[in-house]
Amino acid sequence: MDFSEVVRSAIEAIKINKLRSALTALGVIIGVAAIILLISISAGLQKYISGQFEKLGTNSIFILPGKFRPGPQGGPPRAVNKLTFKIAERIEKQKNEAIIDVSPFVEIDVTVSYKNKSKITTLAGVKPTYFVLSDIGAQTGRTFTDRENQVEAKMAVVGQTIAKDLYQQENPVGKVILISKKSYRVLGVLEPQGRAGGIDIDNQVLIPLNSARKLTGTDQVNSILVRTSSAETIPQAKERVEKILKQSLSEDEFSILTQEQLLSSILQIIGVLTVALGGIAAISLIVGGVGISNIMLVSVTERTREIGLRKALGARPRDILSQFLTEAVILSFLGGAIGVLIGYLGSLVLSNFLQTFVPFWAVALGLGFSTVVGVIFGVAPALRAARLQPVEALRHE
Amino acid sequence: MNAALDVKKISKIYGEPPNETIALKNVSLQIKEGEFVAIIGPSGSGKSTLMNILGLLDIPTSGEYFFENRKAANLSQNDLAKLRNQKIGFVFQSFNLLPRTSSLKNVELPLIYSGVGKKEREQKAKEMLERVGLGDKLFSTPAKLSGGQQQRVAIARALVNDPFVIFADEPTGNLDTRSSSDIMQIFKDLNNEGRTIVLITHEIDIAKLASRILTMRDGQIVSDVKNRPKKQIIKSKRKGV
Ligand SMILES: Nc1ncnc2c1ncn2[C@@H]1O[C@H](COP(=O)(O)OP(=O)(O)O)[C@@H](O)[C@H]1O
Ligand SMILES: [Mg+2]
């Protein structure tokens, strides 16, 4: 019995009992769809973050509070933040020719309101250069100027979500916005940013850095971004920054990371997350495999007479084995293919809300894994079928 | 000439003492190529058990069986499969066709296991179905066929690999009188062509079409007589079984 014949008869058997076949494959369909969906979410997050870093260019270094240990266990440091505006100013003053810009960054969660509506949002204090460097512009209105930053102007640029939720039909530009109960004027509305990894990037309010310094009442900053004249001068800049920081901070109170280091650390963390999520989905696929095994066993029992007949007509044990094994593999492969399709469609739907991306390897993984599940969980029922004694199988009712 | 099927003192015991069933007791039997043997006897007398051993579907508890001079006990699973495929045709009381599968595909089945290509397979299966008078039912599934027609598909399937022996276990047991005579006529023709037939039946009228009649009782052959078969199949017989 040649292979094409085995495949053909397996497909026929699958077609003859469509409902049972669908039920058999259901577990695999769900498992693979879950794998694809979860991978697409974290791969989308990776892509978003990489994109953001790309916008910043390769000639940047980041100063973060605490000792940053790259790698999966590292994560953002939890140490007390001792980075301040003063330190940033000191770098600015003592910078060498390798350093062209020093931008402290302040980010806090605040409640903003307009009329009777209010919302919790992320407030960021940024320099006017931020808009150019990050390639984010105002969709309506404008962003703030250097001068407005210097005079600690009470002006804000709001994200799309804030515009929609607080102002609804009104045009926010020129209106008042209460930030921590202090009134600011809305200068502009940011271009839509979308979502990444479940976070709504449009839910943010940007104010001039100096205004933020005044608003928070502390001198603390979240991080300091230092831009260098080129990628080549990064070591030079790094050396200078380190020297300045050491004047006021001990070695484990700050970290200096290049864009590459920071990006790879973040991607590594997301990578671990992806594997963990994929692992959970893989468990559901194993449950799907057990389903295949069970229903194939039922199928073998139901078709005992057929197996006896086939043996009486000259089927060798290996013919029966390959028949049932092929059926299991085709079912799980089809289940895998349908699962990939559903997962892909699901990620398309999700992409309305957050950035998703289905990498090719996820598709290969889904199909490969489901096929392997078919082989592993198909063997037991197929062996049982192959070992049936013809007379006893024929006597079976 | 050696007997094609040679059974030497075989017994078949089911279960463990003290609850064992002795289905066959020291049975010896030789069947030559070209014979038409009918086996009769009451239900439970061991007819099917004997036929299953003859047809290499089952193995005796003791004794020896030679199929065309090959000792059955020495044959591997694959050897057995090959002999069942090439040398033996089975016809069962309950037809045993694959449901939801066309007559053509059902008849093709033995050819699939002997590795015959698709074209040739279809051609041969079609010829066999035409031969049993079902040339117009190639694509009908069993559900669309009468009992007699289903049994004719089963006979076509048994014949398609040109075996030298056909084993039929009460092939007319589920059929009405008319279909029974049609089926028996086919067996008669096959035997006239030189094919060996071993047929189990309840009905003496049917047994009388054979050239040799074995009677079984309690796992033993109690009589083995030559018969001068009737030329013509009598249509008037007891109704059904
Ligand atoms: N697989 C089996 N397990 C136990 N007993 C069996 C089995 N097959 C047949 N028998 C018993 O063996 C005896 C002969 O059965 P069988 O050959 O089917 O008789 P027949 O075909 O003449 O009616 C019966 O008593 C039957 O119950
Ligand atoms: Mg019987």
Side-chain angles (χ1 to χ4, degrees):
Chain A
M1 191 170 180
D2 59 274
F3 186 65
S4 68
E5 199 47 56
V6 174
V7 172
R8 197 176 309 156
S9 72
I11 291 175
E12 244 149 57
I14 289 169
K15 277 201 281 190
I16 279 176
N17 208 329
K18 290 196 188 71
L19 180 64
R20 185 174 62 203
S21 302
L23 287 175
T24 309
L26 192 63
V28 173
I29 293 175
I30 293 170
V32 170
I35 286 182
I36 297 290
L37 210 55
L38 290 173
I39 289 177
S40 83
I41 292 172
S42 58
L45 184 61
Q46 281 186 353
K47 228 184 159 182
Y48 172 81
I49 289 175
S50 303
Q52 292 299 305
F53 274 85
E54 255 157 44
K55 279 187 194 166
L56 290 175
T58 47
N59 46 342
S60 323
I61 55 181
F62 300 87
I63 305 169
L64 302 176
K67 199 80 233 152
F68 192 91
R69 277 168 303 277
Q73 316 87 342
R78 296 256 168 266
V80 181
N81 182 358
K82 293 198 173 170
L83 293 182
T84 58
F85 280 98
K86 280 203 190 70
I87 290 171
E89 278 159 9
R90 201 170 299 146
I91 298 169
E92 180 82 48
K93 261 180 234 146
Q94 300 180 34
K95 71 181 176 190
N96 58 12
E97 61 287 350
I99 297 173
I100 56 168
D101 181 64
V102 181
S103 297
F105 184 74
V106 173
E107 191 182 83
I108 49 171
D109 287 340
V110 295
T111 306
V112 294
S113 50
Y114 173 69
K115 289 186 180 163
N116 57 349
K117 298 239 159 30
S118 63
K119 191 164 177 68
I120 293 172
T121 188
T122 304
L123 176 79
V126 297
K127 276 182 156 182
T129 46
Y130 170 85
F131 297 101
V132 185
L133 296 176
S134 308
D135 193 24
I136 302 169
Q139 192 181 46
T140 54
R142 62 175 180 88
T143 59
F144 31 82
T145 63
D146 251 334
R147 163 125 197 92
E148 283 157 350
N149 182 28
Q150 277 160 28
V151 302
E152 298 165 4
K154 290 184 143 190
M155 289 169 171
V157 179
V158 301
Q160 293 276 335
T161 304
I162 300 295
K164 248 177 251 142
D165 290 1
L166 291 193
Y167 298 91
Q168 292 170 341
Q169 316 295 1
E170 293 181 58
N171 180 2
V173 177
K175 303 267 158 47
V176 160
I177 183 167
L178 284 180
I179 302 174
S180 294
K181 296 190 179 132
K182 298 201 174 72
S183 83
Y184 282 64
R185 193 152 55 80
V186 178
L187 276 185
V189 179
L190 288 174
E191 291 161 345
Q193 310 281 301
R195 296 176 71 101
I199 296 161
D200 177 13
I201 314 290
D202 287 321
N203 183 10
Q204 65 169 343
V205 173
L206 302 179
I207 60 173
L209 183 62
N210 289 329
S211 316
R213 186 180 187 176
K214 197 176 172 201
L215 179 77
T216 58
T218 74
D219 206 36
Q220 195 177 311
V221 298
N222 292 62
S223 60
I224 302 170
L225 172 65
V226 175
R227 296 186 60 83
T228 63
S229 54
S230 71
E232 283 69 44
T233 56
I234 283 181
Q236 223 181 316
K238 206 174 161 182
E239 201 180 322
R240 171 57 63 96
V241 166
E242 193 162 6
K243 205 170 143 203
I244 300 166
L245 287 170
K246 276 185 180 165
Q247 292 167 3
S248 45
L249 298 176
S250 71
E251 202 158 332
D252 56 1
E253 286 173 334
F254 67 91
S255 314
I256 304 172
L257 290 135
T258 62
Q259 191 236 45
E260 233 174 294
Q261 286 174 319
L262 191 59
L263 178 60
S264 76
S265 305
I266 293 177
L267 291 187
Q268 213 170 346
I269 293 165
I270 299 173
V272 171
L273 194 76
T274 309
V275 171
L277 290 177
I280 293 167
I283 290 171
S284 71
L285 195 51
I286 287 170
V287 174
V290 174
I292 286 203
S293 200
N294 276 335
I295 300 187
M296 288 298 295
L297 278 175
V298 171
S299 163
V300 167
T301 311
E302 262 179 33
R303 287 155 70 190
T304 298
R305 232 182 133 81
E306 174 195 326
I307 294 162
L309 172 73
R310 285 175 182 273
K311 289 199 156 184
L313 298 180
R316 293 163 299 178
R318 87 166 88 111
D319 293 322
I320 302 293
L321 180 79
S322 56
Q323 181 190 342
F324 280 89
L325 200 52
T326 306
E327 254 183 72
V329 170
I330 289 180
L331 271 178
S332 59
F333 180 82
L334 283 181
I338 295 170
V340 165
L341 196 71
I342 291 177
Y344 181 72
L345 292 178
S347 85
L348 281 186
V349 172
L350 269 186
S351 68
N352 289 323
F353 312 104
L354 51 100
Q355 186 166 357
T356 59
F357 170 63
V358 179
F360 174 74
W361 62 263
V363 175
L365 185 85
L367 290 181
F369 207 41
S370 59
T371 308
V372 169
V373 161
V375 174
I376 292 174
F377 290 94
V379 162
L383 271 178
R384 178 192 241 186
R387 288 185 185 140
L388 283 175
Q389 286 301 312
V391 215
E392 269 153 47
L394 278 169
R395 283 170 58 95
H396 193 268
E397 282 314 315
Chain B
M1 189 181 112
N2 269 335
L5 311 177
D6 190 357
V7 167
K8 292 186 169 155
K9 293 190 172 171
I10 59 166
S11 298
K12 180 76 184 181
I13 300 166
Y14 290 108
E16 299 293 322
N19 298 319
E20 78 266 39
T21 308
I22 303 175
L24 290 177
K25 233 181 276 176
N26 252 335
V27 172
S28 292
L29 168 70
Q30 277 95 39
I31 296 174
K32 292 199 189 66
E33 195 159 351
E35 277 194 280
F36 188 161
V37 182
I39 306 177
I40 58 173
S43 176
S45 57
K47 307 183 294 294
S48 297
T49 304
L50 177 60
M51 175 173 284
N52 288 336
I53 290 170
L54 290 173
L56 299 174
L57 290 177
D58 203 358
I59 43 171
T61 313
S62 66
E64 288 177 344
Y65 173 45
F66 293 85
F67 183 93
E68 287 196 311
N69 299 319
R70 301 174 70 178
K71 192 170 171 180
N74 293 342
L75 296 171
S76 71
Q77 290 288 324
N78 287 348
D79 293 335
L80 291 171
K82 191 166 180 185
L83 290 174
R84 287 179 210 132
N85 184 245
Q86 311 274 314
K87 302 275 188 175
I88 300 172
F90 287 102
V91 178
F92 305 93
Q93 177 173 1
S94 52
F95 322 136
N96 273 339
L97 299 176
L98 294 186
R100 289 164 291 201
T101 305
S102 70
S103 310
L104 200 63
K105 282 253 169 342
N106 264 295
V107 177
E108 278 182 50
L109 216 48
L111 296 169
I112 288 178
Y113 292 120
S114 39
V116 176
K118 192 172 161 63
K119 272 246 165 61
E120 193 186 341
R121 230 162 50 209
E122 278 173 2
Q123 185 55 36
K124 278 194 173 176
K126 187 165 164 262
E127 275 169 28
M128 279 308 141
L129 282 164
E130 278 163 358
R131 183 165 174 193
V132 296
L134 290 176
D136 56 339
K137 302 281 185 208
L138 300 183
F139 303 104
S140 309
T141 57
K144 298 239 167 67
L145 300 173
S146 72
Q149 288 171 327
Q150 289 186 55
Q151 195 59 300
R152 280 190 274 158
V153 174
I155 293 173
R157 182 179 63 190
L159 286 175
V160 74
N161 248 337
D162 195 21
F164 85 86
V165 58
I166 304 272
F167 293 105
D169 192 344
E170 304 196 32
T172 59
N174 285 353
L175 301 179
D176 60 44
T177 315
R178 194 198 185 94
S179 309
S180 291
S181 7
D182 290 350
I183 295 299
M184 286 316 298
Q185 187 60 55
I186 296 174
F187 282 120
K188 201 81 193 106
D189 293 345
L190 288 172
N191 180 242
N192 288 339
E193 290 166 10
R195 225 172 292 258
T196 315
I197 311 275
V198 180
L199 177 139
I200 294 176
T201 181
H202 264 92
E203 295 162 64
I204 191 68
D205 285 342
I206 285 180
K208 279 183 177 155
L209 296 166
S211 54
R212 180 177 169 191
I213 301 174
L214 301 179
T215 309
M216 293 194 68
R217 188 160 298 135
D218 296 334
Q220 289 183 306
I221 297 173
V222 291
S223 92
D224 180 352
V225 293
K226 286 253 173 303
N227 178 47
R228 179 172 300 177
K230 293 201 176 74
K231 286 265 166 346
Q232 202 62 50
I233 291 181
I234 9 81
K235 305 244 163 178
S236 58
K237 61 165 186 136
R238 274 183 297 118
K239 203 173 175 309
V241 180

